Amino acid sequence: MSPLRRARPVVQLSAHRCGAGQDRTLENTRVALDGALRLPVEYVEFDVQRCGDGTLVCFHDDWVWVGDRRRDLAELTFAEFAARAPHFLRYDEVLPALVGHARAHIDLKFSDPAAVVDAVGQAVAVLGADEMIVTTLDDRTVRVVRDWADEHGHDLLVGLSLGRRVRGLPLNRQLRIRASELLPRVRILNSRANLVVANHTLARLGIAAFARRRGLPLLVWTVDTEDSLRYWLRPGRAWLVTSNEPALALRVRAGLERSRRAERRRGLEGSEP
């Protein structure tokens, strides 16, 4: 192929759980968010849960320890949640913090349709639809958001996440879930997802090829090792990569870009008469 071929776009980066790295206590916290905003990543990813009083919080799990019991967030007021997890951010704190710094990668962990629409509408009002993406494991939630976006004239990317945890589920259910992920055509069509979101292992097993065939952007999560980052950050492999190690990912991407520029220079020199 000619060295003068059209260059493929650089793969973008999303700082997973506000770029907390391997320290789970920092996930979705102000410390992690401030660190991510100092990096030239294109997106910052954060999880959104809903407390029982309707307050949206940046938190991954749908439960917290209360004494020696696990209590669902849906049963707790924000004050009760904050008493157990005071260092986590509220949703309405994160959105304005991103303005002018990075786009929002909003991973919804709840599925009440009215609450979902309200949360997405709030983000669009603060950031604009072109400065955010929405991802979720729930097919119905994808469709709710896509239908809402179309109704209001927003060109919003909404992704169906493939690769949910199945450990502990009955074997037949595990197999059904994985089959629906490895062959996701029906789910993508029914949910109206316009962004394919896949665990990096499943992406290599065919989901990346599916996204290319359908002409859909591909988001790959969560890529943390240097070898895996080197694979997925090659232009054309994905549209966006989510990483717990955004600083490492940026170094790998910069190294790939330097190598690509050097290769193009050598190609141009070799093509001179």
Side-chain angles (χ1 to χ4, degrees):
M1 186 177 291
S2 169
L4 299 177
R5 65 187 182 279
R6 184 177 178 180
R8 293 177 174 178
V10 172
V11 179
Q12 298 183 80
L13 285 169
S14 176
H16 188 240
R17 300 182 190 176
C18 294
Q22 303 305 316
D23 187 348
R24 293 208 62 182
T25 64
L26 293 179
E27 294 174 354
N28 297 303
T29 64
R30 170 62 69 174
V31 171
L33 177 62
D34 288 345
L37 294 180
R38 289 193 289 269
L39 298 172
V41 293
E42 287 78 16
Y43 286 83
V44 172
E45 189 264 2
F46 50 95
D47 305 299
V48 185
Q49 293 278 11
R50 186 171 181 261
C51 294
D53 61 4
T55 304
L56 301 179
V57 294
C58 296
F59 198 70
H60 181 268
D61 297 329
D62 59 1
W63 58 272
V64 293
W65 288 108
V66 178
D68 59 354
R69 291 181 55 211
R70 280 173 37 154
R71 291 281 303 278
D72 291 342
L73 264 64
E75 300 174 354
L76 303 176
T77 65
F78 173 71
E80 290 171 324
F81 166 79
R84 278 85 187 170
H87 54 301
F88 287 92
L89 292 162
R90 294 194 317 271
Y91 183 63
D92 60 9
E93 293 178 293
V94 176
L95 297 177
L98 294 173
V99 175
H101 297 283
R103 297 183 176 94
H105 174 180
I106 302 168
D107 195 33
L108 296 176
K109 300 297 187 182
F110 61 97
S111 57
D112 176 81
V116 161
V117 164
D118 183 65
V120 175
Q122 185 178 343
V124 170
V126 173
L127 299 166
D130 58 343
E131 292 294 312
M132 57 182 277
I133 60 173
V134 177
T135 60
T136 174
L137 288 164
D138 185 66
D139 301 50
R140 185 182 68 162
T141 298
V142 175
R143 189 172 186 100
V144 165
V145 177
R146 286 280 286 124
D147 289 348
W148 175 86
D150 286 353
E151 181 183 346
H152 291 81
H154 299 307
D155 186 15
L156 178 63
L157 284 175
V158 187
L160 177 64
S161 294
L162 305 169
R164 68 168 64 236
R165 290 184 180 178
V166 296
R167 183 179 300 173
L169 297 176
L171 180 60
N172 60 344
R173 190 176 177 198
Q174 291 188 35
L175 294 174
R176 285 199 302 271
I177 290 172
R178 284 291 179 258
S180 77
E181 292 172 335
L182 290 168
L183 300 170
R185 177 179 175 276
V186 172
R187 292 182 64 189
I188 295 292
L189 289 175
N190 289 342
S191 68
R192 301 191 60 237
N194 56 0
L195 170 65
V196 177
V197 184
N199 168 273
H200 63 94
T201 301
L202 294 183
R204 291 205 194 203
L205 292 176
I207 296 175
F210 167 82
R212 284 194 294 271
R213 289 195 303 271
R214 303 289 299 185
L216 293 171
L218 173 67
L219 188 166
V220 180
W221 58 272
T222 303
V223 186
D224 292 339
T225 67
E226 186 166 348
D227 286 346
S228 194
L229 284 165
R230 194 176 300 280
Y231 177 87
W232 283 113
L233 289 174
R234 290 190 181 279
R237 290 263 166 85
W239 169 70
L240 177 67
V241 165
T242 299
S243 179
N244 286 309
E245 304 290 351
L248 171 62
L250 285 165
R251 291 196 295 273
V252 170
R253 187 173 70 174
L256 289 171
E257 183 60 23
R258 286 194 297 271
S259 296
R260 188 167 64 149
R261 287 199 300 267
E263 183 181 348
R264 286 177 63 82
R265 283 196 300 270
R266 288 194 296 270
L268 288 169
E269 291 167 358
S271 65
E272 292 178 355

